[in-house]
Amino acid sequence: MEFKDFPLKDEIKEALLRRGITAPTPIQAAALPLALEGKDLIGQARTGTGKTLAFALPIAQGLEASKERGRLPRALVLTPTRELALQVSGELQAVAPHLKVVTVYGGTGYGKQKEELTRGCDVVVATPGRALDYLRQGVLDLSRVQIAVLDEADEMLSMGFEEEVEAILSATPKERQTLLFSATLPSWARKLAERYMKSPVVINVVREEGITYQEEAIPAPNDRLSLLSDILFVKAPKRAIVFTRTKAETEEVATGLLRLGHPARAIHGDLSQTDRERVMRAFREGEVRVLVATDVAARGLDIPEVDLVVHYRFPDKPETYQHRSGRTGRAGRPRPWPPEPL
Ligand code: AMP
């Protein structure tokens, strides 16, 4: 998929093209469709992955131009450092020429930034300390914020900005969309997710980049499930089947995927005929995109062709493996055995 296929305004697409940006990076491919729908997201990604555009584009798309003097900001981006704030502002302004972006940071006089804020703007990119100062002085009014972004949340934590960030978020409307980006997910990030976000979808592209990751920093208790979720986000199949070994696990995986924002349903022998038919109809019609099944349950079903088969657990026998993979409509092609572990 390329940017021209995304639901973005023509002027945004042109701005991207001018910078030679045509295809999304993995974090953008995974985050943009959800962010553009207004979902809350936790994006686990480092600098250099294209994470800035993953939040800059939803801001550019979501906010209409305005000329009103003294208008209040409708988007807020918090960053740990002045350098990052300036860099983010630059990228944002480049893809959103219709918006007025004001950068707010410490280590410099209060007057000029105050004047810019008072004149009115659409987006504020700020470091937390100075933003809180202006908030307390009544210079910064966040009551109209529709999108709040925490960029490099783990860095803001290590610089001791927890209280500032929380106070600032509390000054924005509850209905806002919240996007959090962080290379690691310390417990504070989880606390923020619980307190300030609405059922956030976690997108993790850290492994995509081939960076070895520390076990303790992986947020989901079930790592296999979060990896499956990443694969589904990145591959974005129209229809996928995930094979597990037990009935209990089909339920567990389907529920876990639903929680992470995937339209998934389980199918197993304990479902009534009516329920089974309902799930299969939804799968055929594209309402359910991920079917989580045991081999036994899948055997008797008239399953439409799928574009992704995931072996969540290895089958016992090579025949079963081939039977599963045949679901992609490419049966007969030689496949390696044993398969690569998930
Ligand atoms: P970031 O991780 O947001 O700091 O981005 C790193 C660099 O990649 C920036 O210079 C971006 O302009 C550039 N970039 C972001 N997205 C893309 C893309 N889809 N294609 C090419 N370059 C990109």
Side-chain angles (χ1 to χ4, degrees):
M1 192 142 159
E2 298 208 338
F3 280 114
K4 62 176 161 50
D5 307 315
F6 277 86
L8 294 167
K9 296 179 186 121
D10 286 344
E11 61 260 39
I12 298 178
K13 290 181 182 173
E14 282 157 23
L16 287 170
L17 275 180
R18 270 199 299 280
R19 305 179 61 206
I21 295 179
T22 52
T25 64
I27 183 88
Q28 292 162 358
L32 282 172
L34 296 159
L36 289 168
E37 270 178 30
K39 295 236 163 48
D40 280 7
L41 293 183
I42 297 179
Q44 203 176 339
R46 293 166 199 275
T47 301
T49 54
K51 67 181 168 60
T52 313
L53 286 183
F55 61 79
L57 290 173
I59 292 175
Q61 177 66 22
L63 305 185
E64 295 301 330
S66 167
K67 288 266 174 286
E68 195 189 324
R69 267 191 74 83
R71 65 190 183 278
L72 300 178
R74 287 167 290 159
L76 169 76
V77 182
L78 291 177
T79 73
T81 64
R82 159 193 175 133
E83 289 69 30
L84 187 60
L86 287 165
Q87 198 183 314
V88 166
S89 287
E91 280 220 47
L92 240 164
Q93 196 70 78
V95 291
H98 64 296
L99 300 177
K100 168 83 181 148
V101 181
V102 169
T103 320
V104 160
Y105 48 84
T108 180
Y110 280 78
K112 192 163 165 286
Q113 294 173 17
K114 177 179 173 181
E115 201 183 298
E116 285 191 295
L117 288 172
T118 316
R119 217 179 294 145
C121 65
D122 305 300
V123 188
V124 169
V125 181
T127 53
R130 181 61 67 98
L132 191 59
D133 284 351
Y134 281 134
L135 194 64
R136 295 207 164 127
Q137 292 168 16
V139 170
L140 181 61
D141 183 337
L142 297 172
S143 63
R144 292 291 158 83
V145 167
Q146 298 165 17
I147 305 182
V149 180
L150 305 180
D151 193 15
E152 302 199 352
D154 50 357
E155 287 299 315
M156 293 202 275
L157 170 69
S158 61
M159 293 177 70
F161 281 136
E162 295 120 284
E163 279 177 29
E164 285 86 344
V165 170
E166 292 183 35
I168 293 165
L169 276 180
S170 301
T172 64
K174 277 210 171 63
E175 315 75 60
R176 70 173 186 269
Q177 178 183 15
T178 312
L179 309 174
L180 183 154
F181 290 84
S182 200
T184 63
L185 292 183
S187 62
W188 182 59
R190 266 167 275 180
K191 178 182 159 197
L192 286 176
E194 271 164 37
R195 285 217 186 141
Y196 299 96
M197 300 177 83
K198 294 181 286 287
S199 328
V201 176
V202 182
I203 295 171
N204 179 348
V205 295
V206 170
R207 275 175 296 252
E208 279 283 308
E209 301 163 62
I211 291 167
T212 322
Y213 209 64
Q214 298 143 22
E215 199 64 36
E216 65 274 16
I218 292 171
N222 186 343
D223 185 38
R224 193 177 285 256
L225 184 67
S226 88
L227 181 52
L228 172 61
S229 168
D230 296 348
I231 289 170
L232 290 171
F233 276 123
V234 171
K235 299 234 176 242
K238 274 212 201 71
R239 281 201 202 92
I241 297 194
V242 176
F243 285 101
T244 64
R245 277 204 191 158
T246 65
K247 289 175 200 168
E249 197 171 50
T250 59
E251 287 287 357
E252 204 177 287
V253 172
T255 312
L257 287 177
L258 269 177
R259 205 166 25 81
L260 293 168
H262 301 277
R265 291 286 183 286
I267 198 135
H268 53 70
D270 285 356
L271 290 182
S272 71
Q273 184 64 17
T274 326
D275 281 342
R276 214 180 344 228
E277 279 165 14
R278 202 164 34 81
V279 171
M280 289 312 297
R281 191 165 49 243
F283 188 55
R284 264 191 294 274
E285 287 169 4
E287 198 185 314
V288 164
R289 296 232 288 272
V290 186
L291 201 62
V292 189
T294 56
D295 292 298
V296 178
R299 209 156 291 155
L301 293 171
D302 174 22
I303 295 175
E305 199 166 287
V306 298
D307 40 12
L308 180 70
V309 171
V310 179
H311 306 276
Y312 193 77
R313 300 278 176 199
F314 285 173
D316 299 320
K317 294 176 284 194
E319 298 84 74
T320 314
Y321 173 70
Q322 267 167 5
H323 198 79
R324 287 176 172 186
S325 299
R327 299 288 186 188
T328 56
R330 281 176 287 165
R333 252 175 55 182
R335 300 219 164 229
W337 180 267
E340 288 293 306
L342 178 59

